[in-house]
Amino acid sequence: MRADALTTPEQACPIAPVVDLVFSRWTTPILWTLNEFGRQRFVELERRIGSITPKVLTQRLRQLERDGLLTRTYHAEVPPRVEYEISELGRSLAPLFATLADWSAENLPKVDEARSAYDSAP
């Protein structure tokens, strides 16, 4: 197929749907937290992630559950308890996250240097 005949972003870049799914604003910190710390209650996730609002956290958790990347377990107790855990599908992203963490440690200083050089150029 010729490059100029491509009609959709998915055809132009087959990883685009994965990037949209996994690397949206709050998805990565949620999945990273669940992968690193295991099963979490809502308040624990909110504390660990920091600046996320409860509304946005709720929306992202629902979307991640819908996408099959995490599981939600409701415990019918008094008071009710809900826990979130990364699913096997979500856990399959761990090598990708590890690779990105390694890349970050090695290359983000180079990015900072490039930015400084660019910003200080006449």
Side-chain angles (χ1 to χ4, degrees):
M1 180 185 293
R2 291 187 2 236
D4 61 345
L6 298 176
T7 57
T8 67
E10 290 80 12
Q11 289 171 318
C13 179
I15 66 167
V18 176
V19 170
D20 288 343
L21 177 73
V22 177
F23 297 109
S24 66
R25 174 69 175 102
W26 293 108
T27 298
T28 307
I30 292 168
L31 291 175
W32 178 272
T33 300
L34 291 173
N35 190 60
E36 289 294 307
F37 300 102
R39 185 179 308 127
Q40 302 278 302
R41 294 177 73 172
F42 185 91
V43 174
E44 294 170 316
L45 275 170
E46 190 177 24
R47 259 189 244 125
R48 288 191 192 275
I49 294 169
S51 59
I52 192 169
T53 65
K55 178 184 176 184
V56 171
L57 181 56
T58 298
Q59 290 170 340
R60 295 310 309 150
L61 288 170
R62 285 182 183 151
Q63 186 63 49
L64 290 168
E65 182 181 14
R66 180 176 181 261
D67 292 339
L69 298 175
L70 64 77
T71 58
R72 177 183 183 271
T73 304
Y74 175 81
H75 301 277
E77 318 173 326
V78 178
R81 182 169 47 104
V82 176
E83 295 177 318
Y84 299 91
E85 188 170 14
I86 194 165
S87 67
E88 284 304 312
L89 181 60
R91 200 175 318 283
S92 70
L93 294 166
L96 174 63
F97 291 154
T99 300
L100 288 171
D102 291 345
W103 186 92
S104 297
E106 183 178 332
N107 292 297
L108 282 183
K110 296 174 187 174
V111 171
D112 288 339
E113 289 173 20
R115 288 176 177 169
S116 293
Y118 182 90
D119 292 346
S120 64

